[in-house]
Amino acid sequence: MIEEGSKRGKAMVEKRQLFMEMRAQNFDVIRLSTYRTACKLRFVQKRCNLHLVDVWNMIEAFRDNGLNTLDHNAEINVSRLETILSSIYYQLNKRLPTTHQINVEQSIGLLLNFMVATYDSESHGKLTVFSMKAMLATMCGGKIVDKLRYIFSQISDSSGIMVFAKFDQFLREVLKLPTAVFEGPSFGYTEHSVRTCFPQQKIMLNTFLDVLMADPPPQCLVWLPLMHRLANVENVFHPVECSYCRSESMMGFRYRCQQCHGYQLCQSCFWRGHANGPHSNQHQMKEHSSWKSPAKKLSHAISKSLGCVPIGEPPHPVFPEQAERPQELAHTVQPKPVANNMNDTILMSSGAPTPTKSVLESPSRLDEEHRLIARYAARLAAEAGNSTQQCPPTDLSFNFDANKQQRQLIAELENKNREILQEIQRLRLEHEQASQPTPEKAQQNPTLLTELRLLRHRKDELERRMSALQESRRELMVQLEGLMRLLKDEEQKQASQSGGSPHSSPSHGAGCSMPMPIRSTSAGSTPTHTPQDCLAGVGGDVLEAFAQGVPRNLRNDLLVAADSITNTMSSLVKELHSVDDVGEEEEANMRNGGDRGTVRLQRH
């Protein structure tokens, strides 16, 4: 009794474990229900390791367990469901490398409890075959187009036309998944869901794919393609800064505002409704699942304008409307399913109950396949021997030739199979390399870095030289302004004293050496100064001469200014020395080159 109670308690803990882990991820902070639902179901998919099981491996598991012969409404108990899940996960571990093995028992327990909680809410202990197929085909890995093609094969009749009652049943089952992760109010089943998706009367495979893979898809299933896009962008790197959190790079989705120029958000900020500056959550945002450099964008735009790139590509390949006749495989040895998640070329009939596909063998099945070929060759040889004994001697050569042709055909098949296996191995290695996170960029070219440093040094040197030239020009202009101001002051003084002054004008030959007022500036010039900046603080005739668009004849102006300055300086010196003795006056006249008679006349 105690042991039974402990088992029941353990089962309850395992049943709640997945939901407790999902709540710990805090997905409820995502403000949009579509992203919130897709993130929750993606978490369940990865936690149960369903993303490692390809859709065609899942279909093969259905066939191995005989589910393709059962009616959709047939019920299976939990113990048989556990057996089916065990075969799925144990086959998965055989395909995975030894370093990537999963915990089979834990995966079985988590997925079994999730399926029971989703599809057996009344605790009957049974699930329908269609419920299990719809859930596992939706939550497993692989392309969405392959999943939808398989689902269409389950809800269509023999002529390849969708049965609305079966599609309604599919919607009932698949919409229990959002309800299981507490998103039922947003994506619950309604009676009008079928007609909302398909108002047409006759639905073929291509129409079915067009509607469910449209942009946007039907509202009730909008989370399904988003879940697949989430899986594709988990390792996508965007070298762009987020405009809100200022993160220098983004992983996953990138969102660009259609109204605010250059405003981009990472998926974490967008999902949580963060916004700053002029941007608002009401603005339309465009979702980007990849990064293209400006050079690639330009080349793509040029190629598109030249007609090298098709403008519109179909979201999925177009399949024939009429169902293909299934092949007769009763006497053919069926190979095992493909041992990886690569995208195979699959030919599936829209009306056939089960898909027909071309399967590529894995390297782990090499020995088994060679044994089958050898067994088949021995059987052919035995049959040929028996026929030789029964046939008349005239048919010996014909039987020998037929046996030889069969052996040649077997050898060709073996060589072809070996080439296919090598190609699979090569593609697998490329897939593993592509799935690894992109490493950091290699170091820059040292030659290029040296040239960049030299250019930057040359630029700095030119800027410093320009700054020095601008400062020298400014100082010269300031000095010239001082000289012209002194000239004007002296002219005004002479004009005021011309009426009563007995002094005569000094000769032009007289000169003087007097320190000129020099005004230096402390503010340093920058290379970005314009010529008008260098004239800041300079006024009068200097500014008029240098700041106008058409300058005056500066040579003549400067010669006249120099002559006037010489006369003015000599006059100032003579007045300052008039109180001195005659010897000093003569010495001053000799120093200035003046005439002594003129100096005496000025004294008297």
Side-chain angles (χ1 to χ4, degrees), residues 64-287:
D64 291 343
N65 289 276
L67 298 179
N68 58 322
T69 61
L70 299 178
D71 186 76
H72 283 175
N73 296 323
E75 294 183 342
I76 57 175
N77 54 26
V78 177
S79 60
R80 185 175 180 185
L81 175 61
E82 186 176 1
T83 303
I84 296 172
L85 297 182
S86 300
S87 66
I88 293 173
Y89 283 115
Y90 279 113
Q91 289 295 327
L92 172 63
N93 253 0
K94 290 181 181 179
R95 296 190 298 268
L96 293 176
T98 55
T99 56
H100 294 76
Q101 298 287 305
I102 65 171
N103 189 339
V104 175
E105 297 298 331
Q106 184 183 28
S107 300
I108 294 173
L110 291 175
L111 182 57
L112 181 64
N113 290 324
F114 180 75
M115 294 182 67
V116 170
T118 303
Y119 295 100
D120 188 25
S121 57
E122 298 181 0
S123 301
H124 293 310
K126 294 182 179 180
L127 279 75
T128 63
V129 173
F130 189 72
S131 299
M132 188 186 64
K133 283 185 175 181
M135 186 271 174
L136 293 178
T138 303
M139 294 295 292
C140 67
K143 289 185 176 182
I144 184 174
V145 63
D146 296 334
K147 295 182 181 181
L148 294 177
R149 288 170 62 192
Y150 171 72
I151 291 170
F152 186 82
S153 69
Q154 301 297 304
I155 62 176
S156 59
D157 56 15
S158 59
S159 61
I161 300 176
M162 187 187 75
V163 180
F164 278 88
K166 292 184 178 180
F167 179 70
D168 182 76
Q169 184 182 4
F170 167 72
L171 282 184
R172 290 177 184 270
E173 301 300 335
V174 78
L175 291 180
K176 290 179 181 178
L177 293 173
T179 305
V181 293
F182 315 106
E183 297 295 336
S186 301
F187 301 103
Y189 171 80
T190 61
E191 297 179 356
H192 305 287
S193 298
V194 177
R195 289 301 174 185
T196 303
C197 297
F198 298 104
Q200 305 92 337
Q201 295 296 328
K202 184 179 178 181
I203 305 300
M204 306 293 284
L205 173 60
N206 292 324
T207 307
F208 181 78
L209 296 177
D210 288 339
V211 172
L212 295 188
M213 296 184 66
D215 187 16
Q219 181 61 30
C220 59
L221 294 175
V222 68
W223 51 269
L224 182 58
L226 179 58
M227 185 177 69
H228 288 79
R229 295 204 306 272
L230 280 173
N232 294 332
V233 302
E234 285 182 347
N235 297 322
V236 174
F237 176 77
H238 305 269
V240 182
E241 181 183 13
C242 177
S243 299
Y244 183 85
C245 66
R246 298 303 177 186
S247 176
E248 295 183 356
S249 60
M250 303 181 190
M251 293 293 293
F253 285 121
R254 173 171 55 92
Y255 298 90
R256 182 166 56 88
C257 182
Q258 301 297 293
Q259 299 184 25
C260 304
H261 177 70
Y263 193 90
Q264 302 190 77
L265 292 176
C266 62
Q267 67 177 18
S268 178
C269 293
F270 176 75
W271 290 354
R272 286 159 176 77
H274 294 162
N276 58 346
H279 178 70
S280 172
N281 289 329
Q282 305 301 324
H283 292 180
Q284 184 180 0
M285 303 290 285
K286 185 176 181 181
E287 180 186 278

Side-chain angles (χ1 to χ4, degrees), residues 479-497:
Q479 293 176 12
L480 182 57
E481 179 192 6
L483 291 174
M484 295 187 73
R485 188 180 296 112
L486 289 175
L487 178 60
K488 287 185 177 182
D489 293 342
E490 182 61 25
E491 289 178 352
Q492 292 176 0
K493 182 178 179 181
Q494 290 180 0
S496 62
Q497 296 179 358

Side-chain angles (χ1 to χ4, degrees), residues 441-453:
K441 291 184 178 180
Q443 293 183 354
Q444 299 286 345
N445 189 354
T447 305
L448 181 60
L449 290 176
T450 304
E451 293 179 356
L452 290 175
R453 293 194 191 97

